[in-house]
Amino acid sequence: MSIFTCTTSKSNMDIPAGWGRHDARSYYIAMRNGFKSKLSAPVVRPHGKKWVFRGDASASSLKGYGAEQLIAECKEDVLVYCAPRVGMAMDAIATLAKLYGKHCVFFCPASGEPSMHQKALLSYGSDLRFIKIAAMPTLNSYAKKWAEKHGAKYLPFGLGKTPLVTAGIINLAGLVTEQLGKDPSEIWMSVSTGTAIRALQIAWPKAACRGVIVARNMHDGEIGNAILWSSSQPFLKDVPLNKRPPFPSTANYDAKCWEDFENFGINDSIFINVGTDDKVVAQYKQVQNIPLKSQREWGDMSDLERGP
């Protein structure tokens, strides 16, 4: 059963109008402008005649490699992001903030109990704010206005529509190619906002893209030329143990694409393991006993009214 819908448009919002993928790749590579990363080289491992990008075993998750330059070079000392109940982008942001001496303010949907992914952010010294909302776009609007008011750096949800993040993912792909000695033949991954799969299409112009939609409906401009199909499971539901990868992954995200990669991925295809739940669990254990009130009444904007 399909839960999510997918556009039939093959447009890629990260490729400037009238450009091809090769031109776009050169454009984003030039955007790096000699930036020197503090992260070690990504970990790529063989899986039979295929490959796996091991975000779980690398210095950061995929989004961390993507966002490093953005966070390293931003002039603001405070980073602002909306943290859903699950997701690896917020951990990547917190990791990079600590590496580059920044402070994070995460706005979260109010709830009876904070999720493990949210509370784990306390281990980095992050500030969590809670507001009762009906939908995440409302929270993102609040967070953006708060950042503008207090001179902080607002980071869009999923780190999408941010050229430096696209450039960072393309640079990561180049490092993977150096290890393999060639570009992969296919890209396999789970897809949420589409930020990563759009960037990887630019990085590896000849590679076919396959993936599973795990979190939301996909709209025009969000998937490029990828062939995507919907997960049959709700976003917060984990993949059964017997269908997960034989390495640490995210049970409700990356793992949902593993079975298809195993069954249908061709030689020299690559599976993108964005990150792992294990890291979040380890960070959560450091702070699990710290009291954190996450419930709010409708109209309680006290966390929004407070400054940094």
Side-chain angles (χ1 to χ4, degrees):
M1 179 183 69
S2 296
I3 296 177
F4 307 106
T5 61
C6 186
T7 178
T8 58
S9 169
K10 297 301 180 183
S11 62
N12 184 331
M13 68 172 67
D14 296 327
I15 298 179
W19 288 22
R21 279 179 280 174
H22 287 86
D23 291 334
R25 181 172 63 177
S26 297
Y27 167 73
Y28 284 111
I29 290 173
M31 194 179 293
R32 297 282 290 180
N33 196 30
F35 174 73
K36 301 297 183 182
S37 172
K38 291 185 179 181
L39 300 175
S40 57
V43 176
V44 184
R45 294 285 183 259
H47 181 73
K49 295 182 179 180
K50 308 174 191 178
W51 301 94
V52 178
F53 163 70
R54 294 285 301 275
D56 62 291
S58 300
S60 181
S61 65
L62 180 141
K63 285 288 178 73
Y65 283 93
E68 183 187 9
Q69 184 178 4
L70 174 69
I71 290 174
E73 294 182 347
C74 79
K75 64 182 185 300
E76 297 88 353
D77 294 324
V78 178
L79 308 176
V80 179
Y81 186 76
C82 287
R85 291 193 64 78
V86 295
M88 294 305 300
M90 50 202 181
D91 180 83
I93 291 167
T95 299
L96 292 170
K98 188 173 183 179
L99 182 63
Y100 284 100
K102 307 287 185 179
H103 178 65
C104 289
V105 174
F106 290 101
F107 284 93
C108 311
S111 60
E113 291 289 337
S115 71
M116 180 176 63
H117 281 242
Q118 291 169 337
K119 193 167 185 180
L121 298 170
L122 294 178
S123 66
Y124 297 98
S126 301
D127 183 358
L128 271 61
R129 312 284 183 97
F130 295 91
I131 302 175
K132 197 171 186 67
I133 56 165
M136 284 299 289
T138 301
L139 190 62
N140 273 282
S141 175
Y142 290 153
K144 187 175 183 180
K145 291 177 181 177
W146 187 93
E148 291 170 352
K149 179 178 179 180
H150 297 286
K153 177 68 174 181
Y154 168 76
L155 301 175
F157 192 63
L159 298 173
K161 302 178 182 179
T162 308
L164 269 183
V165 173
T166 299
I169 296 173
I170 290 170
N171 181 73
L172 169 66
L175 297 175
V176 171
T177 292
E178 288 178 8
Q179 293 188 42
L180 302 184
K182 55 186 173 183
D183 290 354
S185 58
E186 288 181 342
I187 306 160
W188 288 77
M189 65 185 302
S190 293
V191 178
S192 175
T193 62
T195 300
I197 203 166
R198 293 194 304 273
L200 292 175
Q201 290 171 43
I202 298 169
W204 295 318
K206 295 182 180 179
C209 299
R210 322 273 188 221
V212 176
I213 305 168
V214 298
R216 54 187 285 276
N217 299 331
M218 303 304 296
H219 306 290
D220 291 359
E222 292 185 336
I223 71 168
N225 72 336
I227 298 174
L228 305 181
W229 49 95
S230 172
S231 170
S232 61
Q233 299 171 311
F235 181 47
L236 296 180
K237 185 173 182 179
D238 293 346
V239 172
L241 283 170
N242 64 345
K243 294 186 177 182
R244 297 180 192 178
F247 47 80
S249 187
T250 47
N252 76 313
Y253 192 86
D254 298 329
K256 289 179 178 176
C257 190
W258 178 254
E259 185 177 30
D260 288 332
F261 170 73
E262 279 273 69
N263 292 335
F264 306 114
I266 64 175
N267 290 351
D268 291 326
S269 58
I270 189 167
F271 178 81
I272 306 299
N273 193 55
V274 172
T276 173
D277 293 328
D278 289 5
K279 182 185 180 186
V280 175
V281 171
Q283 298 297 128
Y284 173 75
K285 287 181 177 178
Q286 298 177 32
V287 296
Q288 61 182 332
N289 295 322
I290 296 176
L292 180 63
K293 182 182 177 183
S294 58
Q295 187 61 280
R296 299 289 186 274
E297 299 296 330
W298 284 106
D300 181 355
M301 297 293 177
S302 55
D303 280 5
L304 187 64
E305 293 164 355
R306 287 192 290 121

